[in-house]
Amino acid sequence: MTSLLRQRPRRPRCLRVNMILCAAAIAALGAQSAAAQNCFLFFCRVQPDWQARPGWQGTPVPEPDRRGEPSRPFLSGPDPYSTVYAESSSEPFPVPAIRLSDVDPIYLRKSIYYPTADPPGTIVIDPQRHFLFLVEGGGRAIRYGVGVGRTGFEWSGVATVHDKQEWPDWYPPKEMIERQPEIRRMMSELQSGLGMHGGPRNPLGARALYLWQGNKDTLYRIHGTVEPWTIGKNVSSGCIRMINQDVIDLYQRTPIGARVQVLPSRASAVRP
């Protein structure tokens, strides 16, 4: 029965002896005298509150080390990615399920440990490793795999999300049409010029985030793709492409005005 009762922590023996000597000295010298007060301070130091707590072992309890937390998918279960990358029937156009064998598992969406001074909501893109990080705060981020610009089309810098569009129209730059004249046959005259209507065959996929620097359009986008097997590769003309299910998720989490930092790739970093 005694073991089931919460025991009051016992004071150390030396502390009890000091208290007895303290009480005797105060009685002899008088409670109001300076000598008695000095005696009190010498013998009867006040025990800090944290030392009086039951279970105290003399060292503070460390903060949790989140570096040891494993990367993890968003859903639990034996095959969570079959749900994350399942077919979506709630869109204006069909979003087919991803054949997971087409994508290296390292580039599938995960929640990871990501220490950074950037505020929550910041997007950080690492072209060299083919990752996009959405900072959540508290040492965590959502990591998505991306396809990035091939050699000669790398871009890095800081921008903001100026606009977002669902199933966007595609307006390839004139330079792209000159390099790839075969794409002209897929174009038609749209409201804003020669382009391609949004839809399941549109290279921008299900969503697009438009990156600007100040009042200038960088012409670079974060967008979906109809070629998920290109994730993790240097294939684009500079834009950041994502699996459609991932860009839909990012689109929902990212407000207009969000800060985007594109880190230099190894190729661009060595340039003069």
Side-chain angles (χ1 to χ4, degrees):
M1 179 64 71
T2 303
S3 62
L4 299 177
L5 298 178
R6 184 176 180 179
Q7 299 296 316
R8 185 176 180 179
R10 298 183 63 185
R11 295 185 175 86
R13 179 184 179 88
C14 61
L15 181 61
R16 295 200 306 270
V17 172
N18 282 351
M19 292 182 67
I20 294 171
L21 293 174
C22 175
I26 291 175
L29 297 174
Q32 300 302 320
S33 70
Q37 293 175 16
N38 291 337
C39 172
F40 182 86
L41 293 174
F42 180 80
F43 285 110
C44 305
R45 292 187 176 92
V46 178
Q47 188 180 22
D49 177 67
W50 47 264
Q51 288 183 337
R53 295 173 188 167
W56 175 253
Q57 300 299 319
T59 56
V61 178
E63 292 294 326
D65 184 357
R66 306 194 72 170
R67 288 174 294 181
E69 294 184 13
S71 300
R72 57 178 184 265
F74 273 64
L75 300 177
S76 59
D79 194 11
Y81 285 122
S82 294
T83 301
V84 171
Y85 294 108
E87 178 182 3
S88 174
S89 57
S90 60
E91 294 286 323
F93 302 99
V95 177
I98 295 299
R99 189 168 61 181
L100 296 178
S101 60
D102 285 343
V103 184
D104 188 324
I106 195 174
Y107 298 120
L108 300 179
R109 191 192 320 167
K110 294 178 177 67
S111 173
I112 66 163
Y113 173 74
Y114 189 76
T116 178
D118 292 318
T122 301
I123 293 174
V124 180
I125 300 170
D126 186 343
Q128 185 172 324
R129 296 196 294 158
H130 302 93
F131 290 137
L132 181 152
F133 303 91
L134 177 62
V135 177
E136 293 185 293
R140 303 295 298 183
I142 303 172
R143 190 184 74 188
Y144 309 86
V146 297
V148 300
R150 60 186 182 272
T151 302
F153 292 90
E154 303 94 345
W155 177 82
S156 63
V158 177
T160 58
V161 176
H162 182 269
D163 189 21
K164 305 191 304 178
Q165 292 186 22
E166 300 183 12
W167 296 98
D169 295 338
W170 177 44
Y171 295 94
K174 294 179 181 180
E175 296 80 5
M176 179 180 289
I177 297 177
E178 292 173 358
R179 291 193 308 269
Q180 301 171 261
E182 68 276 7
I183 67 175
R184 185 181 291 272
R185 66 175 181 267
M186 300 185 295
M187 303 293 109
S188 59
E189 284 295 333
L190 304 181
Q191 182 178 0
S192 299
L194 191 65
M196 182 179 182
H197 284 295
R201 299 182 61 188
N202 189 299
L204 296 186
R207 302 287 190 275
L209 285 68
Y210 297 79
L211 306 184
W212 285 46
Q213 290 180 316
N215 296 322
K216 183 179 179 180
D217 187 352
T218 66
L219 300 180
Y220 291 98
R221 321 293 188 220
I222 301 171
H223 63 80
T225 182
V226 294
E227 301 173 328
W229 53 88
T230 63
I231 299 302
K233 297 179 173 60
N234 296 39
V235 289
S236 75
S237 296
C239 291
I240 305 300
R241 59 173 64 179
M242 305 177 68
I243 297 171
N244 272 330
Q245 284 86 341
D246 283 346
V247 79
I248 291 172
D249 184 77
L250 178 68
Y251 181 98
Q252 294 171 341
R253 298 174 185 272
T254 304
I256 298 294
R259 183 176 183 271
V260 180
Q261 180 178 1
V262 183
L263 304 177
S265 64
R266 179 178 300 173
S268 61
V270 298
R271 291 181 180 178

